[in-house]
């Protein structure tokens, strides 16, 4: 059956297909017409696993009438993006309300730096085995069962991605809990240090649901080093009323396991004070590069990944604009310096999306090998300032200056400070 007109719809064996232009060619794209689960009658008070989001209508209307190609599988990244899970795979609701597994945009239409970083990351993530990583799940009965296959698939992908980085076999314990598991959380010191305030928020039911995550590699009560990840969410999680970034949290936290492993593998311990730790792993490196890798590997295609990154930048720029307003390359560099630290709150929050753009540029320029070399250097040198030139031959200030034009171009393209 030939595809002759954009927007033409045909059904084959019960599945609907839409004629879509991809590059210069017309091709059929499968569409998934799924009735969304009704959202709970809660106010759309924004929040996320990491930070607050601005108040944006969850059901925006497009500013103009889009063409059939534009509406079939695209979203407004300035609003909430709704994802679902079908047979363990991610699907996404377009601005038409239809859930789809596709993105009709030409991959070549995205910025060359984003394309290069996406290609570098996803060429590696095709691996399917992880002999050096044993994943042990501690899954509480209250954890949403529909989410479990997706989470396990994401962590399997992350373990495969990083497998060769580990010099020996390691164990990563994965705790999957909800607000119903307070007594259990009290029995695991690491969870008790991180989760009570998140569980309280789930109890209140006055905001969009989210997935809170944590990841580390540390000596557990003198028994030796092991990786640990927790994913905590509401027992009543409904992905139609969830924050934008939940699909990438599992892979994001696995990056933290790797970051910790790399500086601990030679016996180095984490500095006691946060300021000393920031000198070794700046906030915009630790959280920013984790975002780069998790966003560009968790979503099904470059279009979805790009929308998710743009949405995160847009949301946090709005939230932190009273702290830092970015209009020029000089503003970008000043923000990079400021987000090396976890304080004040604006630095902590902006370090995620700003750092993700910095390390998009880094990986596009130096490849994943450059990132691995940087991790290797952090195992031995006293500070990040010394690790960077040893890894890729540029100083931190040069890195900031070289990546600033790309960062500013994305900020301008997304109108993040409109």
């Amino acid at each position: 059956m030939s595809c002759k007109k954009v927007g033409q719809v045909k059904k084959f064996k019960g599945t609907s297909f839409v004629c879509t232009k991809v590059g210069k060619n017309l091709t059929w794209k499968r569409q998934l017409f799924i009735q969304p689960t009704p959202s709970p009658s809660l106010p759309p008070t924004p929040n996320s696993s990491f930070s607050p989001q601005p108040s944006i209508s969850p059901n925006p209307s497009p500013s103009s009438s889009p063409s059939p190609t534009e509406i079939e599988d695209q979203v407004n990244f300035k609003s909430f993006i709704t994802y679902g899970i079908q047979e363990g795979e991610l699907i996404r609701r377009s601005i038409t309300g239809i859930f789809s597994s596709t993105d009709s945009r030409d991959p070549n239409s995205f910025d060359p730096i984003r394309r290069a970083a996406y290609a570098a990351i996803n060429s590696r993530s095709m691996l399917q085995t992880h002999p050096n990583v044993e994943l042990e799940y501690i899954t509480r009965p209250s954890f949403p069962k529909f989410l479990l296959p997706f989470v396990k698939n994401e962590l399997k992908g992350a373990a495969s991605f990083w497998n060769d980085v580990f010099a020996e076999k390691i164990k990563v314990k994965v705790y999957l809990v909800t607000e119903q598991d307070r007594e259990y959380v009290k029995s695991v010191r690491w969870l008790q240090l991180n989760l009570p305030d998140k569980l309280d928020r789930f109890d209140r039911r006055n905001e969009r649901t989210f997935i809170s995550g944590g990841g580390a590699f540390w000596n557990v009560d003198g028994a030796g080093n092991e990786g640990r990840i927790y994913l905590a969410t509401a027992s009543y999680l409904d992905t139609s009323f969830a924050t934008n970034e939940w699909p990438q949290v599992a892979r994001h936290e696995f990056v933290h396991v790797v970051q910790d492993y790399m500086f601990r593998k030679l016996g180095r311990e984490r500095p006691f004070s946060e300021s000393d730790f920031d000198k070794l792993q700046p906030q915009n490196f630790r959280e920013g590069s984790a975002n780069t890798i998790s966003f560009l590997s968790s979503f099904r295609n470059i279009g979805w990944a790009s929308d998710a990154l743009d949405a995160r930048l847009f949301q946090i720029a709005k939230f932190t604009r009273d702290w830092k307003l970015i209009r020029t390359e000089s503003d970008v560099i000043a923000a990079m310096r400021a987000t090396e630290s976890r304080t004040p709150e604006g630095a902590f929050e902006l370090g995620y999306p700003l750092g993700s753009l910095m390390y998009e540029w880094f990986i596009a320029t130096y490849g994943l090998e450059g990132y691995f070399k940087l991790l290797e250097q952090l195992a031995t040198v006293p500070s990040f300032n010394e690790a960077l030139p040893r890894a890729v031959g540029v100083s931190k200030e040069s890195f900031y200056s070289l990546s600033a034009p790309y960062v500013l171009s994305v900020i301008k393209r997304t109108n993040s400070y409109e």
Side-chain angles (χ1 to χ4, degrees), residues 172-338:
V172 179
K173 284 186 177 178
V174 182
Y175 298 89
L176 305 176
V177 300
T178 76
E179 83 288 351
Q180 295 184 14
D181 299 311
R182 277 188 173 77
E183 290 304 311
Y184 177 78
V185 165
K186 290 178 183 177
S187 70
V188 181
R189 185 169 64 91
W190 184 54
L191 300 182
Q192 181 62 19
L193 290 172
N194 288 281
L195 280 179
D197 63 322
K198 311 296 192 309
L199 303 183
D200 290 345
R201 286 166 59 185
F202 296 141
D203 276 342
R204 289 193 288 269
R205 298 193 181 213
N206 63 352
E207 60 182 307
R208 284 180 175 268
T209 48
F210 58 95
I211 297 178
S212 177
F217 186 85
W218 59 319
N219 190 307
V220 182
D221 301 325
N225 289 332
E226 72 175 21
R228 289 198 171 191
I229 290 173
Y230 72 76
L231 300 176
T233 192
S235 59
Y236 54 86
L237 174 69
D238 176 359
T239 58
S240 68
F241 197 73
T243 53
N244 286 355
E245 75 294 328
W246 69 263
Q248 57 81 45
V249 177
R251 289 189 186 241
H252 178 105
E253 302 308 336
F254 202 100
V255 177
H256 292 329
V257 174
V258 174
Q259 291 167 336
D260 284 358
Y261 170 85
M262 293 304 289
F263 79 76
R264 282 198 166 119
K265 70 176 184 176
L266 298 180
R268 168 178 276 183
E269 289 299 323
R270 176 171 174 154
F272 179 76
S273 74
E274 290 294 348
S275 61
D276 286 342
F277 184 65
D278 288 342
K279 293 176 184 176
L280 188 62
Q281 290 196 15
Q283 167 75 359
N284 57 28
F285 163 77
R286 184 170 177 85
E287 302 296 355
S289 66
N291 261 17
T292 303
I293 293 168
S294 64
F295 274 82
L296 292 181
S297 63
S298 294
F299 295 94
R300 297 187 68 144
N301 51 64
I302 189 173
W304 288 18
S306 185
D307 289 338
L309 282 167
D310 289 351
R312 199 69 182 135
L313 172 66
F314 184 81
Q315 292 157 0
I316 301 304
K318 294 292 187 185
F319 178 70
T320 60
R321 64 180 300 150
D322 290 339
W323 175 69
K324 290 288 182 187
L325 188 64
I326 299 175
R327 300 288 192 191
T328 67
E329 285 184 23
S330 295
D331 293 338
V332 171
I333 294 170
M336 289 174 175
R337 292 173 183 149

Side-chain angles (χ1 to χ4, degrees), residues 335-351:
M336 289 174 175
R337 292 173 183 149
T339 55
E340 292 173 7
S341 172
R342 296 157 188 263
T343 55
E345 184 181 13
F348 178 80
E349 300 295 350
L350 191 58

Side-chain angles (χ1 to χ4, degrees), residues 85 88 135 137 143-144 146-157 174-176 211 229 231 246-247 250-251:
I85 298 174
L135 294 168
Y137 289 91
F143 194 80
F146 79 91
L147 189 61
L148 192 57
F150 177 79
V151 165
K152 288 187 173 182
N153 189 56
E154 288 300 287
L155 288 173
K156 178 181 178 182
V174 182
Y175 298 89
L176 305 176
I211 297 178
I229 290 173
L231 300 176
W246 69 263
R251 289 189 186 241

Side-chain angles (χ1 to χ4, degrees), residues 11-224:
K11 283 193 175 182
F12 179 70
K13 294 185 177 180
T15 300
S16 295
F17 295 83
V18 176
C19 186
T20 304
K21 188 173 183 180
V22 179
K24 297 181 179 179
N25 301 316
L26 295 180
T27 187
W28 292 107
K29 292 282 188 178
R30 181 166 66 113
Q31 292 300 294
L32 303 176
F33 293 86
I34 301 171
Q35 181 64 37
T37 303
S39 298
S41 56
L42 301 177
T45 304
N47 227 300
S48 74
S49 57
F50 304 122
S51 65
Q53 296 178 1
S55 296
I56 304 174
S57 170
N59 296 301
S61 299
S63 57
S64 60
S65 299
S67 69
T69 304
E70 292 173 325
I71 66 173
E72 69 171 74
D73 54 19
Q74 293 176 33
V75 301
N76 178 358
F77 73 82
K78 295 183 179 181
S79 182
F80 291 103
I81 302 175
T82 300
Y83 302 95
I85 298 174
Q86 185 176 67
E87 298 179 355
E89 295 290 335
L90 205 62
I91 53 177
R92 189 178 78 162
R93 187 168 66 189
S94 76
I95 57 177
T96 64
I98 296 171
F99 276 77
S100 172
S101 60
T102 64
D103 189 285
S104 59
R105 290 168 290 182
D106 183 349
N108 291 323
S109 67
F110 296 94
D111 188 283
I113 290 174
R114 181 154 290 176
R115 295 202 315 263
Y118 181 86
I121 290 169
N122 286 280
S123 64
R124 182 176 178 84
S125 60
M126 293 300 102
L127 299 173
Q128 295 298 314
T129 60
H130 48 89
N132 291 339
V133 181
E134 177 189 350
L135 294 168
E136 178 185 335
Y137 289 91
I138 299 92
T139 307
R140 301 296 297 168
S142 64
F143 194 80
K145 290 181 174 54
F146 79 91
L147 189 61
L148 192 57
F150 177 79
V151 165
K152 288 187 173 182
N153 189 56
E154 288 300 287
L155 288 173
K156 178 181 178 182
S160 300
F161 183 96
W162 295 106
N163 179 76
D164 296 345
V165 171
F166 300 105
E168 66 281 318
K169 187 168 183 175
I170 69 161
K171 176 183 286 188
V172 179
K173 284 186 177 178
V174 182
Y175 298 89
L176 305 176
V177 300
T178 76
E179 83 288 351
Q180 295 184 14
D181 299 311
R182 277 188 173 77
E183 290 304 311
Y184 177 78
V185 165
K186 290 178 183 177
S187 70
V188 181
R189 185 169 64 91
W190 184 54
L191 300 182
Q192 181 62 19
L193 290 172
N194 288 281
L195 280 179
D197 63 322
K198 311 296 192 309
L199 303 183
D200 290 345
R201 286 166 59 185
F202 296 141
D203 276 342
R204 289 193 288 269
R205 298 193 181 213
N206 63 352
E207 60 182 307
R208 284 180 175 268
T209 48
F210 58 95
I211 297 178
S212 177
F217 186 85
W218 59 319
N219 190 307
V220 182
D221 301 325

Side-chain angles (χ1 to χ4, degrees), residues 77-78 310 313-314 409-416 418:
F77 73 82
K78 295 183 179 181
D310 289 351
L313 172 66
F314 184 81
S409 73
V410 180
I411 290 172
K412 288 184 173 181
R413 175 177 58 75
T414 57
N415 292 318
S416 291
E418 65 182 9

